[in-house]
Amino acid sequence: MTPKAHFAEKLRLAGLRPTRQRVAIATLLLDGRHRHVTADSLTEEITAAGLHVSGGTVYNTLNQFTEAGLLRRVMVHNDYSLFDTNTDHHHHFYEAENDQLVDIPHDDVILAQLPAAPDGHEIKAVDVVIHIQSKNS
Amino acid sequence: MTPKAHFAEKLRLAGLRPTRQRVAIATLLLDGRHRHVTADSLTEEITAAGLHVSGGTVYNTLNQFTEAGLLRRVMVHNDYSLFDTNTDHHHHFYEAENDQLVDIPHDDVILAQLPAAPDGHEIKAVDVVIHIQSKNS
DNA sequence: AACTAGTTTAAAATCATTCTAAAGAGCCTT
DNA sequence: AAGGCTCTTTAGAATGATTTTAAACTAGTT
């Protein structure tokens, strides 16, 4: 199977029509490498690959991929959106000083006790963000 | 001690000059009631109290209070900033559907194991956000 | 090839937040 | 109480990420 067909299929399974731009973005983001991207950094990657996708579509695609579970939104500040290509269950270190986000392997955080969700609700996800700072600051 | 003098002193201790607007906002937010506010909701409270503080000052004050440890910023989405008047160590439930934030008592979450901070860094804070959704959705 | 619904586009619009320059107010000194 | 110095506040402009718009395009179907 060609890479293009592979990602087209992946998008179809996610309920997304495999358009040229979505396949291009999937090829860049969903290759298994774990990293964190922004609308801006993704646009740079697209440009570096000799392609062009309009700004609106970059935003739409990031949102749609997230909605479809192909990406995960990481919440550490309010300046701009961050997306994680690793959708497995894991947590993050965040250093505000340098706006640096680092993955924490799943097993390194153990939640021994969780509260029950409020009545009529169920737990969808548990996000742990450990804020760190350099020692001499 | 008058309430005004009380909050003026509190601000001085936090390293903030007790101006009329900062005392007014402290009186509204730092009375011990635990709640979550936004720049918008705070502006409404100020107006409801028959006062007026410019938009820029509302934002500045929220940031300064947070910096001074009088408020805590809560990160659950990227739409606008949320502040918690409860600065004690505790975590949150977040229901995205209704943009609803609910406190979790400190003792209801037990972190049995935390990873060591990366070299040269130390842990400043650990935030746990439990995303919930209503069962029939 | 033709059709239709979903998608992309560039540009305009939105909206929270920050910045600006001028006016005002704490607060220290006399 | 007046003077003065610095920090604050103000209204309005500016910023910047994100969303919306309306028109052009395309994937998938007939």
Side-chain angles (χ1 to χ4, degrees):
Chain A
M1 176 158 52
T2 71
K4 184 174 160 184
H6 168 70
F7 287 112
E9 187 54 25
K10 204 164 184 173
L11 289 173
R12 256 189 220 97
L13 285 174
L16 295 170
R17 187 191 286 188
T19 64
R20 193 182 305 126
Q21 350 342 39
R22 294 210 270 237
V23 171
I25 292 176
T27 304
L28 290 171
L29 296 186
L30 309 181
D31 61 356
R33 287 172 51 222
H34 291 170
R35 56 227 173 77
H36 306 119
V37 301
T38 64
D40 227 46
S41 78
L42 173 55
T43 300
E44 279 177 30
E45 276 192 64
I46 292 169
T47 304
L51 305 171
H52 174 76
V53 173
S54 77
T57 297
V58 169
Y59 280 102
N60 283 339
T61 305
L62 285 171
N63 288 333
Q64 292 154 352
F65 279 24
T66 302
E67 185 73 20
L70 301 173
L71 291 177
R72 190 176 140 190
R73 196 184 287 269
V74 185
M75 231 63 87
V76 286
H77 62 219
N78 284 333
D79 298 337
Y80 47 81
S81 293
L82 266 173
F83 299 86
D84 196 333
T85 61
N86 181 3
T87 56
D88 293 344
H89 188 258
H90 70 287
H91 302 297
H92 295 98
F93 280 122
Y94 180 64
E95 187 192 13
E97 199 181 346
N98 299 344
D99 190 20
Q100 200 71 42
L101 190 64
V102 179
D103 283 358
I104 300 175
H106 169 258
D107 294 342
D108 285 10
V109 173
I110 296 180
L111 288 154
Q113 185 185 316
L114 280 184
D119 268 1
H121 293 261
E122 59 192 356
I123 293 177
K124 194 169 51 174
V126 179
D127 285 359
V128 177
V129 176
I130 303 183
H131 296 262
I132 58 175
Q133 62 187 172
S134 44
K135 272 178 180 162
N136 42 334
S137 71
Chain B
M1 176 157 54
T2 70
K4 184 175 162 184
H6 168 71
F7 287 112
E9 187 56 23
K10 203 164 183 172
L11 290 172
R12 258 192 219 93
L13 285 173
L16 295 170
R17 188 190 285 188
T19 64
R20 194 181 303 128
Q21 353 338 39
R22 293 210 270 236
V23 171
I25 292 176
T27 304
L28 289 171
L29 295 187
L30 310 180
D31 61 355
R33 287 172 50 221
H34 291 170
R35 57 227 173 78
H36 306 119
V37 301
T38 64
D40 226 45
S41 78
L42 174 55
T43 300
E44 278 177 30
E45 276 192 62
I46 292 169
T47 303
L51 306 171
H52 175 77
V53 174
S54 77
T57 296
V58 169
Y59 280 104
N60 283 338
T61 305
L62 285 170
N63 288 333
Q64 292 154 352
F65 279 22
T66 302
E67 185 74 20
L70 302 174
L71 290 177
R72 191 176 139 191
R73 196 184 289 268
V74 184
M75 230 63 87
V76 286
H77 62 218
N78 283 332
D79 298 337
Y80 46 83
S81 292
L82 266 174
F83 300 87
D84 196 332
T85 61
N86 180 5
T87 56
D88 294 343
H89 188 259
H90 70 286
H91 302 296
H92 295 97
F93 281 122
Y94 180 63
E95 186 193 14
E97 198 181 345
N98 299 349
D99 190 20
Q100 200 70 43
L101 190 64
V102 178
D103 284 358
I104 300 174
H106 169 259
D107 295 342
D108 286 10
V109 174
I110 296 179
L111 288 153
Q113 184 186 315
L114 280 184
D119 268 1
H121 293 262
E122 59 193 354
I123 292 177
K124 195 169 51 174
V126 179
D127 286 359
V128 177
V129 176
I130 303 183
H131 296 263
I132 58 174
Q133 61 186 2
S134 44
K135 272 177 179 163
N136 44 332
S137 72

